[in-house]
Amino acid sequence: MILPRLALLCLVTALTATTGPAARAADLPVRGLTDVRCPSFETLRLRYEKRFLAPMNSFSHEALSDLRAESVLYPFSGPDAVTALALFPQLKHLTLVADQIPEYGRLHESTADSEQAIAQERRMLGFFSQLGYYRTHDLNGRGGERPPFVQLIAYSIAFAGAGVQDVQTLLLSANGEVTPASEADSRPPAGIRFLAKRADGRMVTVDYLAIDLSNRGIQKIAGAETFLRQRAAEGVFLKAASHLLQEPSFSRFADVLTPAAAFVIQDETGLSVERLEANFDLTLYGQYTAPQKLWAHHASAQAFADLYARGKPAGRLPFVFGYEKAAGSALIIGRRRTTH
Protein backbone atom coordinates (compact mmCIF):
# COMPACT_ATOMS: atom_id res chain seq x y z
CA MET A 1 0.00 0.00 0.00
CA ILE A 2 1.24 3.49 -0.86
CA LEU A 3 -0.39 5.12 2.15
CA PRO A 4 1.67 3.57 4.98
CA ARG A 5 4.94 4.11 3.04
CA LEU A 6 4.15 7.82 2.71
CA ALA A 7 3.17 8.02 6.36
CA LEU A 8 6.44 6.42 7.45
CA LEU A 9 8.41 9.32 5.97
CA CYS A 10 7.07 11.67 8.63
CA LEU A 11 9.37 12.95 11.30
CA VAL A 12 7.62 14.38 14.31
CA THR A 13 9.50 17.26 15.91
CA ALA A 14 8.49 19.45 18.83
CA LEU A 15 9.66 23.03 18.47
CA THR A 16 10.14 25.76 21.02
CA ALA A 17 7.20 28.17 20.87
CA THR A 18 7.75 31.86 20.32
CA THR A 19 5.77 34.28 22.41
CA GLY A 20 2.98 35.67 20.23
CA PRO A 21 0.79 38.71 20.78
CA ALA A 22 -1.89 36.58 22.42
CA ALA A 23 0.46 35.18 25.06
CA ARG A 24 0.45 36.64 28.57
CA ALA A 25 3.60 37.62 30.41
CA ALA A 26 2.57 35.41 33.33
CA ASP A 27 2.14 32.31 31.17
CA LEU A 28 4.56 29.47 31.64
CA PRO A 29 7.20 29.12 28.91
CA VAL A 30 5.84 26.74 26.33
CA ARG A 31 7.63 24.14 24.25
CA GLY A 32 6.29 22.38 21.22
CA LEU A 33 3.74 22.49 18.45
CA THR A 34 4.25 25.86 16.76
CA ASP A 35 5.13 24.01 13.57
CA VAL A 36 5.27 20.54 12.06
CA ARG A 37 8.23 18.99 10.28
CA CYS A 38 7.39 16.06 8.09
CA PRO A 39 8.99 15.47 4.68
CA SER A 40 5.80 13.86 3.32
CA PHE A 41 3.33 16.04 5.21
CA GLU A 42 2.43 18.15 2.18
CA THR A 43 1.63 14.99 0.21
CA LEU A 44 -0.64 13.76 3.00
CA ARG A 45 -2.24 17.18 3.38
CA LEU A 46 -2.97 17.41 -0.34
CA ARG A 47 -4.54 13.94 -0.28
CA TYR A 48 -6.73 14.98 2.64
CA GLU A 49 -7.60 18.26 0.90
CA LYS A 50 -8.74 16.46 -2.25
CA ARG A 51 -10.74 13.75 -0.44
CA PHE A 52 -12.19 15.82 2.39
CA LEU A 53 -11.24 19.47 2.87
CA ALA A 54 -12.23 20.87 -0.55
CA PRO A 55 -15.54 18.93 -0.75
CA MET A 56 -16.39 19.92 2.85
CA ASN A 57 -15.69 23.60 2.12
CA SER A 58 -17.94 23.42 -0.95
CA PHE A 59 -20.70 21.62 0.96
CA SER A 60 -20.47 24.13 3.80
CA HIS A 61 -20.94 27.04 1.39
CA GLU A 62 -24.09 25.43 -0.01
CA ALA A 63 -25.68 23.89 3.08
CA LEU A 64 -24.33 25.59 6.23
CA SER A 65 -23.73 29.23 5.36
CA ASP A 66 -26.98 30.37 7.01
CA LEU A 67 -25.68 29.19 10.40
CA ARG A 68 -22.83 31.73 10.41
CA ALA A 69 -21.17 29.72 13.15
CA GLU A 70 -18.24 31.47 14.82
CA SER A 71 -18.06 29.14 17.83
CA VAL A 72 -18.70 25.38 17.84
CA LEU A 73 -18.48 22.61 20.44
CA TYR A 74 -17.15 19.28 19.12
CA PRO A 75 -17.60 16.56 21.79
CA PHE A 76 -15.92 13.13 21.50
CA SER A 77 -13.54 14.78 19.05
CA GLY A 78 -10.25 13.12 19.84
CA PRO A 79 -7.58 15.26 18.12
CA ASP A 80 -9.76 15.90 15.04
CA ALA A 81 -9.80 19.69 14.72
CA VAL A 82 -9.66 19.74 10.93
CA THR A 83 -13.13 18.33 10.18
CA ALA A 84 -14.84 21.12 12.11
CA LEU A 85 -12.48 23.75 10.67
CA ALA A 86 -13.32 22.48 7.18
CA LEU A 87 -17.10 22.49 7.66
CA PHE A 88 -17.07 25.83 9.49
CA PRO A 89 -14.45 27.93 7.67
CA GLN A 90 -15.65 31.10 9.44
CA LEU A 91 -14.96 29.71 12.92
CA LYS A 92 -13.19 31.93 15.41
CA HIS A 93 -13.37 29.48 18.33
CA LEU A 94 -13.49 25.69 18.21
CA THR A 95 -13.83 23.63 21.40
CA LEU A 96 -12.78 19.98 21.26
CA VAL A 97 -13.75 17.73 24.18
CA ALA A 98 -12.72 14.12 24.73
CA ASP A 99 -11.37 11.92 27.52
CA GLN A 100 -7.79 11.55 26.22
CA ILE A 101 -5.36 13.28 28.60
CA PRO A 102 -2.86 15.56 26.80
CA GLU A 103 0.84 15.36 27.56
CA TYR A 104 1.04 18.67 29.44
CA GLY A 105 4.65 18.08 30.40
CA ARG A 106 5.90 18.18 26.83
CA LEU A 107 4.69 21.78 26.52
CA HIS A 108 7.26 22.92 29.07
CA GLU A 109 10.23 20.62 28.51
CA SER A 110 11.93 18.77 25.70
CA THR A 111 10.56 15.27 25.22
CA ALA A 112 12.17 12.51 23.19
CA ASP A 113 9.51 10.25 21.72
CA SER A 114 10.18 6.54 21.43
CA GLU A 115 10.60 5.05 17.97
CA GLN A 116 7.44 3.04 18.54
CA ALA A 117 5.35 6.12 19.37
CA ILE A 118 6.71 8.00 16.37
CA ALA A 119 6.00 5.07 14.05
CA GLN A 120 2.45 4.82 15.37
CA GLU A 121 1.93 8.54 14.89
CA ARG A 122 3.21 8.30 11.31
CA ARG A 123 0.77 5.50 10.54
CA MET A 124 -2.11 7.43 12.06
CA LEU A 125 -1.40 10.52 9.95
CA GLY A 126 -1.44 8.38 6.84
CA PHE A 127 -4.67 6.62 7.75
CA PHE A 128 -6.33 9.91 8.68
CA SER A 129 -5.47 11.47 5.32
CA GLN A 130 -7.22 8.51 3.67
CA LEU A 131 -10.14 7.79 6.04
CA GLY A 132 -10.91 11.18 7.60
CA TYR A 133 -11.13 9.88 11.17
CA TYR A 134 -8.91 8.41 13.89
CA ARG A 135 -9.51 4.94 15.22
CA THR A 136 -10.09 4.94 18.98
CA HIS A 137 -7.85 1.98 19.66
CA ASP A 138 -4.99 3.77 17.88
CA LEU A 139 -5.50 6.87 20.04
CA ASN A 140 -5.44 4.70 23.15
CA GLY A 141 -2.25 2.93 22.09
CA ARG A 142 -3.73 -0.53 21.71
CA GLY A 143 -1.13 -2.88 20.26
CA GLY A 144 1.66 -0.38 20.79
CA GLU A 145 2.67 2.83 22.48
CA ARG A 146 0.17 5.67 22.70
CA PRO A 147 1.19 8.45 20.30
CA PRO A 148 1.59 12.02 21.62
CA PHE A 149 -1.95 13.38 21.65
CA VAL A 150 -0.97 17.07 21.59
CA GLN A 151 1.15 16.47 18.50
CA LEU A 152 -1.85 14.91 16.72
CA ILE A 153 -3.94 18.01 17.42
CA ALA A 154 -1.20 20.21 15.97
CA TYR A 155 -1.05 18.08 12.85
CA SER A 156 -4.83 18.19 12.53
CA ILE A 157 -4.75 21.99 12.63
CA ALA A 158 -2.05 21.86 9.94
CA PHE A 159 -4.27 19.62 7.78
CA ALA A 160 -6.71 22.57 7.78
CA GLY A 161 -3.99 24.80 6.33
CA ALA A 162 -3.45 26.69 9.59
CA GLY A 163 -0.25 27.19 11.56
CA VAL A 164 -0.01 27.07 15.36
CA GLN A 165 1.32 30.39 16.69
CA ASP A 166 1.18 29.69 20.42
CA VAL A 167 0.05 27.03 22.89
CA GLN A 168 -1.30 27.56 26.41
CA THR A 169 -2.47 25.27 29.17
CA LEU A 170 -6.02 25.88 30.40
CA LEU A 171 -7.83 25.86 33.74
CA LEU A 172 -11.54 25.18 34.30
CA SER A 173 -13.21 26.98 37.20
CA ALA A 174 -16.26 25.86 39.17
CA ASN A 175 -18.41 28.43 37.33
CA GLY A 176 -17.51 26.93 33.97
CA GLU A 177 -15.01 29.60 32.95
CA VAL A 178 -11.91 28.57 31.00
CA THR A 179 -8.74 30.65 31.39
CA PRO A 180 -5.06 30.22 30.50
CA ALA A 181 -2.94 28.93 33.37
CA SER A 182 -0.57 31.34 35.08
CA GLU A 183 2.81 30.58 36.61
CA ALA A 184 1.46 31.19 40.11
CA ASP A 185 -1.49 28.77 39.76
CA SER A 186 -0.96 25.29 41.19
CA ARG A 187 -4.25 23.80 40.02
CA PRO A 188 -3.98 20.86 37.60
CA PRO A 189 -4.58 21.82 33.96
CA ALA A 190 -7.91 21.01 32.32
CA GLY A 191 -6.84 21.33 28.70
CA ILE A 192 -4.78 23.06 26.06
CA ARG A 193 -5.39 26.12 23.84
CA PHE A 194 -3.90 26.37 20.36
CA LEU A 195 -3.78 29.85 18.82
CA ALA A 196 -3.55 29.30 15.07
CA LYS A 197 -3.43 31.42 11.94
CA ARG A 198 -5.26 30.33 8.81
CA ALA A 199 -3.74 30.62 5.35
CA ASP A 200 -5.69 33.86 4.76
CA GLY A 201 -4.32 35.40 7.96
CA ARG A 202 -7.42 35.00 10.14
CA MET A 203 -6.83 33.74 13.67
CA VAL A 204 -8.71 30.82 15.14
CA THR A 205 -8.62 29.53 18.73
CA VAL A 206 -8.77 25.76 19.19
CA ASP A 207 -9.38 24.63 22.78
CA TYR A 208 -9.07 21.02 23.84
CA LEU A 209 -10.63 20.08 27.21
CA ALA A 210 -10.05 16.65 28.74
CA ILE A 211 -13.47 15.67 30.10
CA ASP A 212 -15.03 12.25 30.49
CA LEU A 213 -18.51 12.96 29.07
CA SER A 214 -20.22 10.04 30.77
CA ASN A 215 -22.71 10.77 33.56
CA ARG A 216 -20.12 9.87 36.17
CA GLY A 217 -17.32 11.79 34.46
CA ILE A 218 -19.23 15.08 34.16
CA GLN A 219 -20.30 14.85 37.78
CA LYS A 220 -16.68 14.49 38.93
CA ILE A 221 -15.45 17.76 37.42
CA ALA A 222 -16.61 21.00 39.02
CA GLY A 223 -17.84 23.41 36.38
CA ALA A 224 -17.89 20.85 33.55
CA GLU A 225 -21.65 20.84 33.01
CA THR A 226 -21.89 24.64 33.06
CA PHE A 227 -18.95 24.91 30.67
CA LEU A 228 -20.46 22.40 28.22
CA ARG A 229 -23.85 24.11 28.28
CA GLN A 230 -22.27 27.50 27.57
CA ARG A 231 -20.12 26.21 24.71
CA ALA A 232 -23.03 24.25 23.19
CA ALA A 233 -25.24 27.35 23.00
CA GLU A 234 -23.72 28.54 19.71
CA GLY A 235 -23.65 25.17 17.96
CA VAL A 236 -22.72 21.49 18.33
CA PHE A 237 -20.86 19.20 15.94
CA LEU A 238 -20.80 15.41 16.43
CA LYS A 239 -19.08 12.72 14.37
CA ALA A 240 -18.06 9.09 14.88
CA ALA A 241 -19.00 9.11 18.57
CA SER A 242 -19.81 5.38 18.72
CA HIS A 243 -23.49 5.99 19.61
CA LEU A 244 -22.46 7.02 23.13
CA LEU A 245 -25.07 9.78 23.38
CA GLN A 246 -27.74 7.15 22.79
CA GLU A 247 -26.59 5.18 25.85
CA PRO A 248 -28.14 5.65 29.33
CA SER A 249 -24.65 6.21 30.80
CA PHE A 250 -24.32 9.42 28.71
CA SER A 251 -27.86 10.72 29.25
CA ARG A 252 -26.69 13.63 31.40
CA PHE A 253 -24.63 15.09 28.56
CA ALA A 254 -27.46 14.45 26.09
CA ASP A 255 -29.75 16.36 28.48
CA VAL A 256 -27.26 19.27 28.43
CA LEU A 257 -26.99 19.41 24.64
CA THR A 258 -30.64 18.94 23.71
CA PRO A 259 -32.02 22.23 25.09
CA ALA A 260 -28.79 24.25 24.74
CA ALA A 261 -27.62 23.80 21.16
CA ALA A 262 -28.60 26.46 18.63
CA PHE A 263 -27.96 23.83 15.98
CA VAL A 264 -26.64 20.28 15.79
CA ILE A 265 -24.70 18.81 12.88
CA GLN A 266 -24.03 15.12 13.24
CA ASP A 267 -23.89 11.65 11.75
CA GLU A 268 -25.96 8.72 13.03
CA THR A 269 -23.85 8.39 16.20
CA GLY A 270 -24.94 11.68 17.81
CA LEU A 271 -28.16 12.62 19.56
CA SER A 272 -30.98 10.14 19.12
CA VAL A 273 -33.64 10.52 16.43
CA GLU A 274 -36.21 11.04 19.17
CA ARG A 275 -34.31 13.99 20.65
CA LEU A 276 -33.57 15.48 17.24
CA GLU A 277 -37.13 15.33 15.94
CA ALA A 278 -38.57 16.76 19.15
CA ASN A 279 -36.32 19.84 19.19
CA PHE A 280 -34.92 20.58 15.73
CA ASP A 281 -35.99 21.02 12.13
CA LEU A 282 -33.96 18.39 10.31
CA THR A 283 -32.29 18.43 6.91
CA LEU A 284 -30.81 15.12 5.76
CA TYR A 285 -27.85 14.65 3.45
CA GLY A 286 -26.27 11.50 2.09
CA GLN A 287 -27.76 8.05 2.40
CA TYR A 288 -28.16 5.63 5.26
CA THR A 289 -29.83 2.24 5.02
CA ALA A 290 -28.67 0.28 8.06
CA PRO A 291 -26.50 0.62 11.18
CA GLN A 292 -22.90 -0.48 11.10
CA LYS A 293 -22.75 -4.10 12.23
CA LEU A 294 -21.13 -3.19 15.57
CA TRP A 295 -24.30 -1.29 16.54
CA ALA A 296 -26.91 -3.23 14.59
CA HIS A 297 -28.51 -4.38 17.85
CA HIS A 298 -29.20 -0.81 18.99
CA ALA A 299 -32.79 0.29 18.40
CA SER A 300 -31.59 3.91 18.44
CA ALA A 301 -29.11 3.12 15.66
CA GLN A 302 -31.77 1.47 13.51
CA ALA A 303 -33.95 4.57 14.03
CA PHE A 304 -31.62 6.56 11.75
CA ALA A 305 -32.18 4.09 8.92
CA ASP A 306 -35.92 4.54 9.46
CA LEU A 307 -35.47 8.33 9.48
CA TYR A 308 -33.74 8.23 6.09
CA ALA A 309 -36.29 5.75 4.72
CA ARG A 310 -39.25 8.05 5.46
CA GLY A 311 -37.44 11.32 4.81
CA LYS A 312 -36.14 12.78 1.57
CA PRO A 313 -32.46 13.73 1.71
CA ALA A 314 -31.76 17.23 0.43
CA GLY A 315 -28.71 16.05 -1.49
CA ARG A 316 -25.74 13.72 -1.68
CA LEU A 317 -22.53 14.03 0.29
CA PRO A 318 -19.41 14.60 -1.82
CA PHE A 319 -17.22 13.16 0.95
CA VAL A 320 -17.18 10.27 3.40
CA PHE A 321 -18.51 11.36 6.77
CA GLY A 322 -18.22 9.37 9.99
CA TYR A 323 -17.43 5.68 9.89
CA GLU A 324 -17.10 4.09 6.46
CA LYS A 325 -19.89 1.56 5.96
CA ALA A 326 -21.85 -0.07 3.17
CA ALA A 327 -24.96 1.81 4.30
CA GLY A 328 -23.42 5.12 3.25
CA SER A 329 -22.70 8.37 5.09
CA ALA A 330 -25.38 10.30 6.93
CA LEU A 331 -25.06 14.00 7.72
CA ILE A 332 -27.95 15.54 9.60
CA ILE A 333 -28.42 19.27 10.15
CA GLY A 334 -30.70 20.12 13.06
CA ARG A 335 -31.73 23.77 13.29
CA ARG A 336 -33.35 24.75 16.58
CA ARG A 337 -37.12 24.81 16.20
CA THR A 338 -38.53 28.14 17.35
CA THR A 339 -42.01 28.62 18.76
CA HIS A 340 -44.03 31.76 18.26
Side-chain angles (χ1 to χ4, degrees), residues 58-286:
S58 178
F59 174 83
S60 174
H61 180 73
E62 296 174 5
L64 305 177
S65 58
D66 65 297
L67 299 177
R68 296 182 175 86
E70 295 187 350
S71 178
V72 166
L73 172 67
Y74 182 2
F76 309 105
S77 62
D80 176 27
V82 62
T83 303
L85 293 175
L87 283 174
F88 305 101
Q90 71 281 21
L91 273 185
K92 295 180 179 179
H93 198 164
L94 171 63
T95 301
L96 310 175
V97 179
D99 61 359
Q100 285 90 6
I101 306 298
E103 301 82 5
Y104 298 111
R106 69 187 292 124
L107 300 183
H108 309 299
E109 58 187 34
S110 297
T111 302
D113 297 317
S114 71
E115 291 184 7
Q116 187 181 36
I118 292 174
Q120 175 74 338
E121 186 177 82
R122 292 165 180 165
R123 286 192 293 270
M124 290 177 67
L125 285 174
F127 283 126
F128 185 82
S129 72
Q130 183 73 17
L131 300 176
Y133 63 87
Y134 291 105
R135 299 176 298 186
T136 302
H137 65 263
D138 288 339
L139 293 174
N140 293 335
R142 184 185 302 174
E145 189 167 340
R146 180 179 181 268
F149 189 77
V150 291
Q151 197 76 49
L152 291 174
I153 299 176
Y155 271 114
S156 188
I157 292 170
F159 267 115
V164 175
Q165 305 296 297
D166 196 17
V167 187
Q168 303 166 339
T169 53
L170 297 176
L171 300 173
L172 176 63
S173 67
N175 65 2
E177 183 181 6
V178 170
T179 56
S182 68
E183 190 173 4
D185 204 306
S186 60
R187 288 177 292 171
I192 296 177
R193 171 166 292 169
F194 296 79
L195 301 169
K197 181 183 289 186
R198 293 180 182 268
D200 61 7
R202 292 177 298 126
M203 295 297 296
V204 60
T205 298
V206 178
D207 287 349
Y208 175 82
L209 276 294
I211 301 174
D212 175 354
L213 294 170
S214 68
N215 296 348
R216 183 177 298 179
I218 291 177
Q219 193 170 11
K220 282 183 178 179
I221 301 176
E225 188 167 326
T226 301
F227 161 76
L228 292 167
R229 184 177 294 105
Q230 292 171 348
R231 291 293 171 95
E234 294 192 36
V236 173
F237 176 64
L238 295 155
K239 178 177 76 77
S242 302
H243 295 276
L244 293 176
L245 280 173
Q246 297 154 32
E247 298 283 356
S249 58
F250 285 82
S251 61
R252 184 166 184 161
F253 185 42
D255 287 342
V256 167
L257 295 181
T258 303
F263 65 81
V264 175
I265 296 175
Q266 65 170 68
D267 61 8
E268 75 281 1
T269 68
L271 290 171
S272 67
V273 167
E274 181 182 9
R275 287 179 181 269
L276 289 172
E277 290 192 310
N279 294 277
F280 302 92
D281 293 323
L282 304 182
T283 306
L284 311 180
Y285 284 89

